[in-house]
Amino acid sequence: MKLVSVLFIAFFVAGAFAAQEETDVANLVQQMENSKFGKTILQTIQLSLSAGDPVDDLILTLQEIEDKVIAEQKEDDDFIQALSAACDADLALLQSEIDDAANRAAELQAELDEKIPIRDEKVRLLAEKMEFKALIEAKIVELDQNKVLKEEEWAQEQEEHDKAQFVIEKAKQVIVAALQGGDSFLQKKKNVGAAFAQLSDHFTSEIKRNNFKKQGWVAVFKVLAQMTSAEVQADSGAVEEFIELCDQLLNKIAESREIERRDYQNWMEEYEVNREGQVARLDETKAQIANLELEIAALTKRINNATIERDEQYERQANKQSQYDDRYKYCEDEERGYGERRQIRDENRTVVSNAIALLTSHARTFKKYVEERTG
C-alpha cells in the first residue's frame, strides 16, 4: 500500500513538472515567434531537425550566432564610445569657439559704443572750428580791405595837403616876385597890383578845380581871394598881411599834415596788432582743425574696422552655432541608433540563449513545438 502511494505521488509530481515544462517551453517559443529574428532561428532549428542534423551541431551553430551578436555589440560599443568622446570634444571646441566669437563681438560693440560718440563729438567740434575759421578769414579780409581804404584815404589827404601847400606857396612866390620886380615904389605897387589881380583869379580857380574836402581850407582860400581883390589892392598893408597870412597857413597845413600822419600811423599800428592777433587765432584754429581731422580719420578707420570685425564675429558665431547644432543632432541620432541596435541585439541574444537552453535542457518538448509550427 505504501509503495502504491509513493508511486502515485511520484507520478503526480512528474506530471506536474511535465505540465510546467510544457508551459515554460510554450511561452519561450511564443516569445521567439513574436520577433523576426526569433522566427528565423526557429526556422533554422526546424530545418536542421528535419534534416536530421545532430543537436550538438545545431547548438554549436547557435553559439556561433550568439558569439557574432556579442562581437557586433562589442564593435558597436567601441564605435559609440569613440564617437561619444569625439562628440564631446567637438561640441566642447565648437562651444568654446561660439563663446569666443560672442565675447569678441561684445568687446568690439563696447568699443564702438565708446568711440562712435567721441567721433561724433569731434565731428561737431570740427564743424564749429571750420565755421570759426571762416569768420576769422572774413575778419582778416575785412581788415585788409579797410587797410586799402585807409591807404587810399591817406594818399588823398597827402595829395590835398600838397595841393593846398602848392596854392599858398605859389601865391607867396607871386607876391614876393612882384615886390622884387621893380626899383621904384610906383613900379613895385604896379607889380603888386597885377600880382593881386592874378592871385584873386588863382584862388578862385583853385577852389573850383581842386574841390577840397576840408571846408576850412575853402573858406581860407575865399578870404585870400577877397584880400587880393581890387578893393584890397589899394591897402598898402595888405601885402605884408598877405605874406604873413600865407606863412601862417603853411604852418597850419604842416601841422594838419602831421596830425593826419600820426592818425594814419596809429591806425596802421592798430591794424597790424589786430591782424597779427587774427592771424595767430587763424593759425591756432587751423592747427586744431588739422588735429581734429587726424583724430576723426583715425577714429573712423578704427570704427569701420571694428564694425567689420564685429560683423565677422557675429557671422562666425552663427556659423559655429549651426555647426554645433548639426553635430549635436548627429551625435544624438547616433546615440539613439546605438540604443536601438543594442536593444535589438539584446533581444536577439536572448532568443539565441533561450534556444540553446531549450535544446540543452528541454530538447524533447522543444523539438515537439518546433516540428508542430507552421510559420
Side-chain angles (χ1 to χ4, degrees), residues 38-234:
K39 288 181 179 181
T40 301
I41 293 298
L42 287 175
Q43 288 174 355
T44 300
I45 294 172
Q46 187 178 21
L47 291 173
S48 180
L49 292 176
S50 299
D53 295 334
V55 174
D56 289 343
D57 291 347
L58 179 58
I59 291 174
L60 182 60
T61 300
L62 292 174
Q63 288 176 340
E64 290 176 350
I65 294 174
E66 183 179 23
D67 290 342
K68 183 180 179 181
V69 172
I70 292 173
E72 289 177 351
Q73 185 58 49
K74 175 66 168 58
E75 183 180 353
D76 208 3
D77 289 343
D78 293 341
F79 165 75
I80 201 65
Q81 185 176 2
L83 178 64
S84 179
C87 284
D88 290 343
D90 292 345
L91 291 175
L93 176 60
L94 287 169
Q95 185 60 56
S96 176
E97 292 175 331
I98 291 170
D99 294 341
D100 289 344
N103 292 336
R104 182 55 181 161
E107 291 175 1
L108 291 167
Q109 185 59 54
E111 182 181 358
L112 289 172
D113 292 340
E114 176 186 2
K115 285 186 168 56
I116 289 176
I118 295 175
R119 192 271 309 273
D120 293 345
E121 175 60 22
K122 290 184 180 295
V123 169
R124 185 194 65 78
L125 184 59
L126 176 62
E128 289 184 355
K129 292 296 181 182
M130 293 295 290
E131 183 178 354
F132 186 59
K133 171 176 169 288
L135 291 175
I136 296 175
E137 290 173 338
K139 182 64 176 178
I140 292 175
V141 170
E142 181 183 0
L143 286 172
D144 291 341
Q145 290 174 344
N146 290 338
K147 177 176 178 287
V148 172
L149 294 176
K150 190 65 177 178
E151 288 174 340
E152 292 176 353
E153 180 182 339
W154 168 235
Q156 292 174 359
E157 288 289 346
Q158 286 184 306
E159 182 181 3
E160 187 159 296
H161 280 77
D162 289 342
K163 289 178 181 180
Q165 182 176 342
F166 171 77
V167 170
I168 300 301
E169 288 177 344
K170 183 178 180 180
K172 183 178 177 181
Q173 290 172 2
V174 169
I175 295 300
V176 171
L179 289 174
Q180 295 174 353
D183 296 332
S184 65
F185 173 77
L186 292 176
Q187 183 63 43
K188 289 181 179 182
K189 183 175 182 181
K190 180 179 180 181
N191 290 342
V192 170
F196 267 37
Q198 178 184 351
L199 291 177
S200 179
D201 294 337
H202 167 68
F203 288 127
T204 302
S205 63
E206 288 295 334
I207 291 172
K208 294 179 179 179
R209 184 169 67 85
N210 291 316
N211 190 24
F212 291 103
K213 292 191 301 179
K214 294 182 178 297
Q215 295 301 316
W217 290 1
V218 174
V220 168
F221 293 151
K222 287 182 178 180
V223 170
L224 292 175
Q226 292 175 359
M227 288 179 64
T228 55
S229 63
E231 294 78 4
V232 178
Q233 289 177 18

Side-chain angles (χ1 to χ4, degrees), residues 335-354:
E335 286 282 354
R336 184 168 50 256
Y338 165 78
E340 293 172 353
R341 292 192 301 273
R342 182 179 182 86
Q343 182 179 357
I344 292 173
R345 290 193 186 102
D346 287 344
E347 292 174 354
N348 293 345
R349 185 179 175 188
T350 299
V351 167
V352 176
S353 296
N354 288 338

